[in-house]
Amino acid sequence: AEYMGSPLFCNTMLRAARALHAARRAVARASSSAAVLPTSASAVPRSPDRWQSHGRIIEVERIDANIFRSASVEALWRPGMGQGVYGGQLIGQALVAAHETIDDDWARVHTPSEMAAKAAAKGEAVVNSAHAYFLRPGSAAKPIVFRVERLLDGGSFNFRSVTGFQDGVPIFALKASFHRREEFPVRYQREMSAVPPPESLKSHTQLLEEALSHPKCTPEFRAKIEAAFARPIPLEIRPVDVTDLGLFSRPKAQEPRSRLWMRALGPIDGSPDVHRCIAAWASDWTISAVPLLHIGLRPYSPQLRLICSLDHSLWFHDDIDFNSWVLYEMSTNNLSGGRGVAHGRMYNQAGRLVMSVAQEALYRLRAQSPTPSTSASASS
């Protein structure tokens, strides 16, 4: 008791408090900076601009150990005819936030050589799947806050749960799995379709320009198309199965299948993790419209009142290079009850399947919209 009241004890406690305060400030500085997930077998902590590739569309900033925020509101993208922030951007940014929490505690307190030894012993954890739900429309005028829950850090797998908030209200939820790659002697995949090369096809931008000059282009359609030009998607897209946007023709039933080539408009720097998150961002593009092809409708069709993605799933099979052309094949198995399910496959130009996708969407038509009388099945 005498010691606890002595000057020596008080000075000791004061020094301890100062040391604790300095340590907390150091942790806070580390948490507010870009994270340091190893980017390759060399396991060197990444630089702060790791996720700034491609116009900052997937970049988030760390504001606490498990809390992240969209780094740039200006980079949040709302499609020209969309009602809220693009769903693929929610997926991409949530995946980045999840990536930031894989091995981050280890990376902050160990040297690059120690990180390299760990990577060599265990292998780098790579995202292998993600499953997302769109709960409410998100605003492209406000930052999105992402909260990450660390569900498991095992020897082979890491699991993360990410919830996106605006104004304190959850608008989005995602579960992601990360796997440390393993050797396996067998590989099988569904083969890529035979399609024309992207250089021989019109771009989505060219199709929009042709629609603007169409004699049946009304002021309402023109406003929608100009809105699309004002907020262009940061991808180069060349549809395989579409020769026009279906704005001015009556609905005509067709096989519910869509194939398109896509790649980044500008060069993407960074590790394969960045390209996987960009691919996740791109995977939401038009897949929700594929079931509507059975009744002859497309995203720009005037008969369509509402199209809304409900959930979205991804499985990553291999590294993806979005600086090169990627073929996105989409088809559907069902359209009923105002909902449709579409499936997608992404291939690189060599024909290797790099990612699989599934999505369910909600549809509402305008009153007295003409639809085909048939309900026959179509093969994919």
Side-chain angles (χ1 to χ4, degrees):
E2 293 179 358
Y3 169 71
M4 292 179 65
S6 68
L8 177 61
F9 175 79
C10 294
N11 289 335
T12 301
M13 292 302 296
L14 179 60
R15 287 195 297 271
R18 287 173 175 170
L20 178 61
H21 179 65
R24 284 175 173 171
R25 290 186 63 184
V27 170
R29 285 195 299 270
S31 297
S32 62
S33 65
V36 285
L37 174 68
T39 62
S40 66
S42 64
V44 178
R46 63 171 170 262
S47 60
D49 63 353
R50 169 182 165 86
W51 301 106
Q52 291 182 9
S53 297
H54 212 49
R56 307 182 75 183
I57 62 172
I58 60 170
E59 186 187 356
V60 298
E61 59 181 351
R62 195 170 204 156
I63 57 178
D64 204 346
N66 299 309
I67 305 295
F68 302 83
R69 179 174 54 203
S70 302
S72 169
V73 173
E74 290 74 19
L76 292 178
W77 186 66
R78 180 170 70 86
M81 298 178 67
Q83 298 180 353
V85 67
Y86 174 56
Q89 192 157 28
L90 289 169
I91 297 171
Q93 292 194 353
L95 274 181
V96 169
H99 271 93
E100 297 283 81
T101 67
I102 305 296
D103 289 342
D104 59 342
D105 290 333
W106 177 281
R108 275 199 291 269
V109 298
H110 289 75
T111 65
S113 60
E114 290 171 327
M115 290 295 298
K118 179 184 179 183
K122 295 186 65 177
E124 181 186 359
V126 175
V127 63
N128 64 283
S129 67
H131 307 277
Y133 284 89
F134 304 102
L135 307 178
R136 297 175 176 86
S139 170
K142 303 175 183 178
I144 302 162
V145 175
F146 297 95
R147 184 185 66 198
V148 181
E149 295 180 69
R150 307 176 187 227
L151 303 183
L152 174 70
D153 287 311
S156 297
F157 286 91
N158 303 80
F159 289 97
R160 297 293 185 263
S161 177
V162 185
T163 306
F165 295 85
Q166 280 188 327
D167 297 325
V169 177
I171 64 171
F172 171 84
L174 175 138
K175 296 287 193 298
S177 170
F178 296 78
H179 180 220
R180 300 188 187 278
R181 285 176 170 169
E182 303 174 22
E183 294 296 326
F184 194 73
V186 179
R187 182 182 180 96
Y188 166 80
Q189 67 169 58
R190 181 170 176 172
E191 293 302 313
M192 184 176 81
S193 300
V195 297
E199 295 79 12
S200 67
L201 301 169
K202 292 181 180 179
S203 70
H204 183 257
T205 300
Q206 289 174 305
L207 294 175
L208 286 174
E209 291 171 345
E210 291 177 359
L212 276 177
S213 60
H214 196 283
K216 293 184 179 180
C217 185
T218 66
E220 179 186 3
F221 292 160
R222 181 175 295 276
K224 292 180 178 180
I225 296 172
E226 289 175 348
F229 276 123
R231 293 184 294 273
I233 186 170
L235 299 172
E236 184 176 359
I237 296 173
R238 304 209 173 195
V240 174
D241 303 300
V242 176
T243 56
D244 64 76
L245 295 176
L247 280 171
F248 314 110
S249 58
R250 292 182 62 81
K252 181 180 178 181
Q254 63 186 85
E255 181 181 357
R257 180 183 71 175
S258 176
R259 298 170 297 179
L260 53 88
W261 291 100
M262 56 170 54
R263 67 177 177 183
L265 275 176
I268 299 175
D269 300 324
S271 76
D273 291 337
V274 175
H275 288 258
R276 277 185 284 268
C277 290
I278 294 290
W281 191 101
S283 67
D284 190 37
W285 177 251
T286 72
I287 189 172
S288 59
V290 174
L292 292 174
L293 294 174
H294 177 66
I295 54 175
L297 300 183
R298 296 173 186 165
Y300 292 94
S301 297
Q303 299 88 355
L304 186 61
R305 180 168 66 89
L306 173 70
I307 179 170
C308 175
S309 302
L310 298 176
D311 55 50
H312 194 93
S313 295
L314 305 166
W315 296 268
F316 299 86
H317 311 307
D318 212 330
D319 289 343
I320 305 171
D321 181 6
F322 244 79
N323 288 319
S324 302
W325 287 108
V326 173
L327 180 68
Y328 195 14
E329 297 187 9
M330 295 163 279
S331 59
T332 186
N333 294 333
N334 180 261
L335 173 63
S336 61
R339 303 189 315 276
V341 176
H343 302 273
R345 297 175 299 278
M346 281 193 185
Y347 296 88
N348 62 23
Q349 281 191 286
R352 172 161 286 196
L353 181 65
V354 293
M355 188 169 77
S356 297
V357 184
Q359 185 184 90
E360 184 179 37
L362 174 70
Y363 311 101
R364 289 182 180 149
L365 304 178
R366 298 188 187 279
Q368 299 180 345
S369 294
T371 59
S373 58
T374 178
S375 62
S377 298
S379 61
S380 61

